[in-house]
Amino acid sequence: MSSPESPAATESPSSPEGRPQSLDLAADPAQLTAALIDVESVSDHETPLADLVEEALRGLEHLSVHRDGDAIIARTELGRAERVVLAGHLDTVPLPTAEGSRGTVPSSWSGSDEDGDLTLYGRGATDMKGGVAVQLGLAAQLSEPNRDITYVFYDHEEVDSAKSGLARLERSVPDLLQADFAVLLEPTDGTVEGGCNGTLRFVIAPQGLAAHSGRAWRGDNAIHKLADVLSVLADYEPATIEVEGLAYREGLNAIRISGGTAGNVIPDAASVEINYRFAPDKTLEQAQQHCRELFPGHELEFVDLSPAARPGLDRASAAAFVAAVGQEPKPKYGWTDVARFSAMGVPAVNFGPGDALLAHTDDEHVSAEAIRQCRRVLLSWLS
């Protein structure tokens, strides 16, 4: 079976573009993933997929549904002792441009279920329509979960944080996001990745005095004033910090540098942009202060600030979830929206199907078994 037809996409009438007009939430989660891939949802164009998701969820009597722009929240209201969030974003990065790429719309398959190597290709296969398919299938099946569940599907994750659909929900309906624990179904290869490092960027831009390079003594070279900054960066030894049993590795690196106007001019301006990845033992304010202490005598202009997230593995819900997964948790070195939940007071982890290293690539793909295994784990935990 090299190119199976997806029941999630073919049992319902399709649009002229080949897009499904409805979603079959009872379908095999790998097939449902294919149906989701077939609905292009590049950031700023999530509406068609959001419409399908909303329509499918409103057909489930055990859920209350709220829509905000292209974000949808669906909740059980059973009065359980705990509430958990399952969250995922609907948007993808733009489609590949490379000729012959398989990370495109529509989806495609290789391998076979009989041989256990059935693989699904297409934009969003890994990041993160496999996770969204798992959410949707559970939302349909779990009418009586052992914990109340809030399912969050949101827009604009793959773009500037100012556009984030999750941040918009936090502003408009914060009460609907409150929970004891959250799972973000970002790709983790089926392993729990607890919390995430924080990240910030800042610019150091010393001023000098322009002069003809033939009379350099009449000027003040701004590039030379970056020498001590670059020396600090070259000598910096990033810390590895344990938080709740997970070892987070930090990093401090120059990511952009500029200066100079001509071959015979002493530059009067120069700048270096620096990225600091910091462990979740620090607040944003503490991370900023650490950077200021590293570069005394320089003014730091902070241009991006994203807090870290503690993993919350000491919570009862988290411990039960880790036990259900059955693998040793790992730290998340990159930044994800678990940080937004953590800032709301909701401990969060990343857990989803697919290899994060394949996200955004031209051959983005995920195995059918990885999607199904993710669903089995969450179903066991919640039922």
Side-chain angles (χ1 to χ4, degrees), residues 231-240 249-252 276 290 294:
S231 178
V232 169
L233 292 171
D235 294 340
Y236 187 81
E237 295 185 6
T240 297
R249 180 167 181 173
E250 298 193 329
L252 183 75
Y276 178 38
H290 176 66
L294 288 172

Side-chain angles (χ1 to χ4, degrees), residues 12-359:
S12 301
S14 293
S15 66
E17 297 83 6
R19 218 168 48 208
Q21 290 185 339
S22 62
L23 298 174
D24 178 8
L25 304 192
D28 172 86
Q31 308 289 1
L32 180 54
T33 302
L36 296 175
I37 291 171
D38 290 344
V39 184
E40 183 180 333
S41 58
V42 174
S43 304
D44 285 336
H45 302 282
E46 298 96 329
T47 300
L49 182 55
D51 289 345
L52 288 172
V53 169
E54 180 187 16
E55 178 187 21
L57 293 172
R58 288 199 184 277
L60 303 174
E61 294 182 357
H62 60 279
L63 296 176
S64 62
V65 179
H66 173 85
R67 180 159 179 172
D68 182 309
D70 285 331
I72 299 101
I73 298 176
R75 291 162 52 97
T76 63
E77 303 285 356
L78 301 172
R80 301 293 196 236
E82 288 184 322
R83 176 174 291 278
V84 299
V85 169
L86 300 183
H89 60 85
L90 299 176
D91 61 323
T92 71
V93 296
L95 300 176
T97 57
E99 185 176 351
S101 166
R102 300 194 64 174
T104 58
V105 173
S107 58
S108 63
W109 299 85
S110 71
S112 71
D113 251 350
E114 289 82 359
D115 295 336
D117 62 354
L118 184 63
T119 301
L120 175 62
Y121 289 80
R123 176 56 82 223
T126 297
D127 189 12
M128 56 172 293
K129 291 187 175 180
V132 169
V134 171
Q135 288 178 263
L136 288 169
L138 292 174
Q141 182 175 357
L142 289 172
S143 59
E144 293 283 339
N146 57 19
R147 300 163 171 84
D148 268 313
I149 306 174
T150 300
Y151 302 93
V152 182
F153 307 87
Y154 59 100
D155 56 293
H156 287 92
E157 191 272 348
E158 298 287 8
V159 290
D160 188 275
S161 61
K163 293 185 175 182
S164 167
L166 185 59
R168 188 182 66 251
L169 290 172
E170 183 183 356
R171 294 190 298 270
S172 62
V173 287
D175 291 348
L176 296 185
L177 298 177
Q178 285 303 306
D180 299 287
F181 184 62
V183 178
L184 189 64
L185 277 85
E186 290 277 5
T188 64
D189 239 357
T191 299
V192 174
E193 292 184 344
C196 68
N197 272 340
T199 180
L200 60 78
R201 290 181 292 114
F202 59 93
V203 176
I204 296 177
Q207 295 299 305
L209 179 65
H212 193 290
S213 61
R215 302 174 184 85
W217 62 88
R218 297 181 63 88
D220 186 12
N221 195 311
I223 292 178
H224 292 180
K225 291 184 176 183
L226 291 175
D228 64 325
V229 174
L230 298 177
S231 178
V232 169
L233 292 171
D235 294 340
Y236 187 81
E237 295 185 6
T240 297
I241 298 173
E242 186 171 305
V243 179
E244 297 176 18
L246 300 181
Y248 294 84
R249 180 167 181 173
E250 298 193 329
L252 183 75
N253 292 280
I255 54 171
R256 191 176 290 113
I257 192 166
S258 63
T261 58
N264 60 352
V265 177
I266 299 299
D268 62 348
S271 68
V272 59
E273 186 173 349
I274 298 168
N275 178 218
Y276 178 38
R277 300 279 175 159
F278 56 94
D281 66 322
K282 298 178 184 66
T283 64
L284 268 176
E285 292 74 18
Q286 290 169 334
Q288 288 176 277
Q289 183 58 30
H290 176 66
C291 294
R292 293 188 185 100
E293 292 170 355
L294 288 172
F295 302 102
H298 290 281
E299 181 178 347
L300 279 57
E301 178 190 359
F302 291 94
V303 295
D304 180 64
L305 298 167
S306 298
R310 299 184 71 89
L313 298 180
D314 54 344
R315 300 289 184 97
S317 291
F321 180 58
V322 170
V325 174
Q327 297 187 40
E328 195 70 24
K330 297 179 180 180
K332 185 71 172 179
Y333 296 125
W335 189 91
T336 72
D337 274 317
V338 297
R340 295 192 191 278
F341 284 105
S342 182
M344 288 184 273
V346 181
V349 299
N350 303 277
F351 173 77
D355 183 349
L357 296 179
L358 294 172

